[in-house]
């Protein structure tokens, strides 16, 4: 399909905005971007009138556990240890169908709020891939490799991860990608971490890990695997064992030092910051301004719906922009431009998805039209300000992914949304019953 989208604003990147712009799409790619006059050069292309809209690059959720939508609102207001205990007992009852339905619901929520791609870590990768494919989204999928004190379990999950890469990487015309997901330095020993890393290199895919989420994580990892850290940080340890590299994306990175940030920058490690989840679980506050200053690629993630409880990146951008102002007494920290960049180009860079994150010729046609004709968004002087401080996910009017319309004016065009809402409610009730949790 060939399209020309005429919009009041085209946000190519947070620093390049065209007023009265035109975006031309052929197949799955953006081929031309410019002022409205450009449209005359493409007379036969399907015209999309978006004079009331701002066109932005599809948002990228840099860290998620999509199927945890089924556990939304089930473990609120408790510390991470208790939270993990409750969640892990529910997860032990998960079936493939649960993951499939939970991921579809997550995809629907994300698409409706302008997210076109997400970086996921969850069980039953085949079910996740199927959901991504059917909804028409993009996803980077990894199996959480959790060893704890059971080496055989670590081995089994590593093999599952490898099978997922073999089977699903590149699926759905490349919309599905895979990576290796060693869960965290306190749930995987050094040998397993290095092996996951080596396999990722061999298959030319990424590594997705949780890192430095809680204050006592280094101590826990040290005790669990006898690392002999002796005051060295987790980042230093991971660097010493050769784990860090530019194909690694690390979620959280809250408890990192200046020296750690230098190491992350030097190794090209991407960071997925999840301010809402971090606040909710009282994990702490990641030094994102310092990471950005030193050139670390930082994306924004929602984390799972059990700790957020929404998958709306507009909320996440606003939270990221407010958090540092409030806690450090400096209103210049994390500007609207920086917040939007983290949810687009920053995430694309952290995930090494070079074709995404901007509205430019040659990039993938993952486009989101946000309706500005709303009381909340009038008047519009600076669309970047609105996108971070005023827009809500529900203001998204149209979503195109890979050149295909997936959502338009209140309707999901790819799957039976109503049916999935009912299935998700049923699946969640049955899951809670099996796990013996009041839901
Ligand atoms: Zn997570």
């Amino acid at each position: 399909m060939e399209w020309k989208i005429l919009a009041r604003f085209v946000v190519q990147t947070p620093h390049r905005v065209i007023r009265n712009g035109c975006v031309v799409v052929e197949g799955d790619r953006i081929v031309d971007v410019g002022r409205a006059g450009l449209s005359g050069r493409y007379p036969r292309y399907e015209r999309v009138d978006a004079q009331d809209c701002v066109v932005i690059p599809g948002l990228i959720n840099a860290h998620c556990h999509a199927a945890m939508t089924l556990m939304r609102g089930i473990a609120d207001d408790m510390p991470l240890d208790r939270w993990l205990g409750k969640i892990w007992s529910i997860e032990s009852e998960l079936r493939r169908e649960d993951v499939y339905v939970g991921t579809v619901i997550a995809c629907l929520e994300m698409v409706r709020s302008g997210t076109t791609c997400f970086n996921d870590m969850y069980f039953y990768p085949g079910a996740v891939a199927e959901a991504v494919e059917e909804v028409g989204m993009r996803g980077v999928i990894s199996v959480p490799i959790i060893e704890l004190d059971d080496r055989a379990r670590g081995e089994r999950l590593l093999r599952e991860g490898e099978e997922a890469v073999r089977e699903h990487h590149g699926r759905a015309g490349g919309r599905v990608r895979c990576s290796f997901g060693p869960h965290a330095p306190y749930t995987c020993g050094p040998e397993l971490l290095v092996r996951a890393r080596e396999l990722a290199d061999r298959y030319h895919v990424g590594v997705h890990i949780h890192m430095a989420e809680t204050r006592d994580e280094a101590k826990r990892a040290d005790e669990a695997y006898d690392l002999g850290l002796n005051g060295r940080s987790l980042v230093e340890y991971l660097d010493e064992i050769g784990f860090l590299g530019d194909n690694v994306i690390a979620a959280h990175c809250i408890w990192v030092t200046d020296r750690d940030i230098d190491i992350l920058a030097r190794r090209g490690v991407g960071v997925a910051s999840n301010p809402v989840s971090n606040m909710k679980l009282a994990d702490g506050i990641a030094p994102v301004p310092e990471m950005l200053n030193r050139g670390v690629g930082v994306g924004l993630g929602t984390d799972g719906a059990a700790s957020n409880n929404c998958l709306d990146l507009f909320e996440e951008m606003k939270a990221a922009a407010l958090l540092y102002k409030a806690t450090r007494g400096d209103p210049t920290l994390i500007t609207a431009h920086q917040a939007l960049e983290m949810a687009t180009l920053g995430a694309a860079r952290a995930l090494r998805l070079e074709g995404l994150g901007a509205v430019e010729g040659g990039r993938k046609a993952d486009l989101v039209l946000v309706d500005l004709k709303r009381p909340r968004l009038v008047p519009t002087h600076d669309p970047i300000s609105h996108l971070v401080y005023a827009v809500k996910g529900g203001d998204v009017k149209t979503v195109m992914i890979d050149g295909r319309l997936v959502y338009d004016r209140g309707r999901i065009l790819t799957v039976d949304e109503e049916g999935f809402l009912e299935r998700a409610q049923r699946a969640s009730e049955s899951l809670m019953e099996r796990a013996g949790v009041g839901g």
Side-chain angles (χ1 to χ4, degrees):
M1 196 83 186
E2 294 158 337
W3 309 86
K4 51 181 180 185
I5 303 165
L6 286 122
R8 184 159 157 214
F9 296 101
V10 175
V11 174
Q12 292 196 267
T13 71
H15 298 281
R16 237 178 321 129
V17 179
I18 305 170
R19 193 180 280 265
N20 295 319
C22 177
V23 182
V24 183
V25 172
E26 283 176 14
D28 62 348
R29 300 232 170 229
I30 299 164
V31 293
D32 214 348
V33 185
R35 303 294 301 266
L38 187 66
S39 110
R41 278 196 239 158
Y42 301 90
R44 275 196 280 281
Y45 286 39
E46 186 83 20
R47 181 188 168 104
V48 178
D49 276 311
Q51 318 296 354
D52 294 324
C53 293
V54 50
V55 178
I56 61 171
L59 304 179
I60 301 169
N61 189 341
H63 178 67
C64 191
H65 312 279
M68 291 182 91
T69 47
L70 294 191
M71 290 162 235
R72 202 196 302 269
I74 224 68
D76 292 335
D77 312 325
M78 55 179 76
L80 184 65
D81 274 358
R82 265 185 67 207
W83 184 91
L84 274 177
K86 187 163 184 186
I87 295 299
W88 282 353
S89 76
I90 298 171
E91 284 182 333
S92 67
E93 294 294 330
L94 272 175
R95 296 170 185 167
R96 189 187 192 279
E97 161 77 4
D98 299 324
V99 172
Y100 170 66
V101 174
T103 307
V104 168
I105 291 297
C107 290
L108 297 175
E109 182 186 358
M110 286 192 269
V111 166
R112 278 177 166 274
S113 53
T115 295
T116 54
C117 177
F118 65 109
N119 182 36
D120 204 56
M121 183 194 285
Y122 218 59
F123 308 100
Y124 295 106
V128 180
E130 197 180 324
V132 170
E133 181 164 12
E134 286 180 14
V135 174
M137 268 189 97
R138 252 178 237 290
V140 185
I141 292 169
S142 58
V143 174
I145 302 165
I146 300 175
E147 180 178 42
L148 294 170
D149 54 2
D150 182 348
R151 287 185 86 117
R153 182 186 183 202
E155 282 299 317
R156 181 172 55 77
L157 288 164
L158 182 67
R159 269 200 310 278
E160 262 182 49
E162 186 178 4
E163 275 163 34
V165 170
R166 280 218 202 103
E167 240 177 90
H168 304 298
H169 186 61
R171 182 171 161 175
R175 283 190 287 109
V176 173
R177 300 170 68 107
C178 289
S179 63
F180 281 86
H183 174 264
Y186 66 94
T187 51
C188 296
E191 280 166 42
L192 189 58
L193 288 172
V194 168
R195 286 186 50 215
R197 170 66 212 256
E198 284 169 356
L199 280 173
D201 290 345
R202 192 188 311 159
Y203 287 97
H204 305 288
V205 297
V207 179
H208 183 189
I209 189 168
H210 295 90
M211 194 162 87
E213 180 176 6
T214 56
R215 193 196 287 262
D216 66 348
E217 188 174 312
K219 199 167 138 249
R220 278 177 71 178
D222 204 359
E223 283 167 8
Y225 299 107
D226 208 6
L227 304 176
L229 288 181
N230 255 331
R232 284 173 307 152
S233 72
L234 279 178
V235 174
E236 287 172 272
Y237 147 67
L238 290 171
D239 193 32
E240 276 167 23
I241 64 171
F243 179 80
L244 300 180
D246 67 0
N247 60 344
V248 174
I249 182 158
H252 307 305
C253 295
I254 295 169
W255 299 97
V256 292
T257 63
D258 279 354
R259 210 160 63 204
D260 292 340
I261 295 173
D262 284 336
I263 294 172
L264 296 176
R266 201 164 57 236
R267 298 289 178 217
V269 174
V271 170
S273 186
N274 309 273
V276 173
S277 172
N278 295 162
M279 281 193 269
K280 187 159 186 276
L281 292 169
D283 289 335
I285 300 172
V288 168
E290 287 70 22
M291 293 191 218
L292 291 177
N293 277 344
R294 271 179 256 174
V296 176
V298 184
L300 280 182
T302 58
D303 215 348
S307 66
N308 187 306
N309 299 359
C310 296
L311 308 179
D312 181 342
L313 278 174
F314 285 101
E315 275 189 13
E316 211 66 40
M317 285 193 282
K318 185 166 179 174
L322 297 181
L323 179 57
Y324 299 91
K325 295 170 172 65
T327 53
R328 297 198 197 169
D330 181 351
T332 67
L333 288 177
I334 306 298
T335 61
H337 289 78
Q338 285 177 312
L340 182 59
E341 182 146 348
M342 284 194 281
T344 51
L345 265 180
R349 197 178 140 212
L351 286 161
R352 297 197 313 166
L353 297 168
E354 284 83 10
L356 305 183
V359 183
E360 289 168 344
R363 299 226 188 211
K364 287 285 189 179
D366 291 7
L367 299 167
V368 171
L369 277 60
V370 177
D371 191 358
L372 294 169
K373 212 173 176 186
R374 312 246 166 169
R376 188 170 51 242
L377 304 176
V378 173
T380 306
H381 300 292
D382 173 5
I384 307 299
S385 165
H386 275 11
L387 287 164
V388 173
Y389 291 119
V391 168
K392 309 279 175 205
D395 299 328
V396 167
K397 187 178 179 189
T398 304
V399 176
M400 177 183 279
I401 303 173
D402 219 26
R404 174 190 186 200
L405 279 185
V406 175
Y407 174 74
D408 192 36
R409 281 166 286 196
R411 280 190 37 223
I412 292 281
L413 306 173
T414 45
V415 295
D416 167 23
E417 187 175 38
E418 274 296 312
F420 275 108
L421 296 182
E422 282 166 30
R423 271 171 80 176
Q425 182 68 36
R426 277 202 307 273
S428 178
E429 284 168 13
S430 152
L431 173 62
M432 296 311 151
E433 208 176 295
R434 293 199 302 275
V437 173

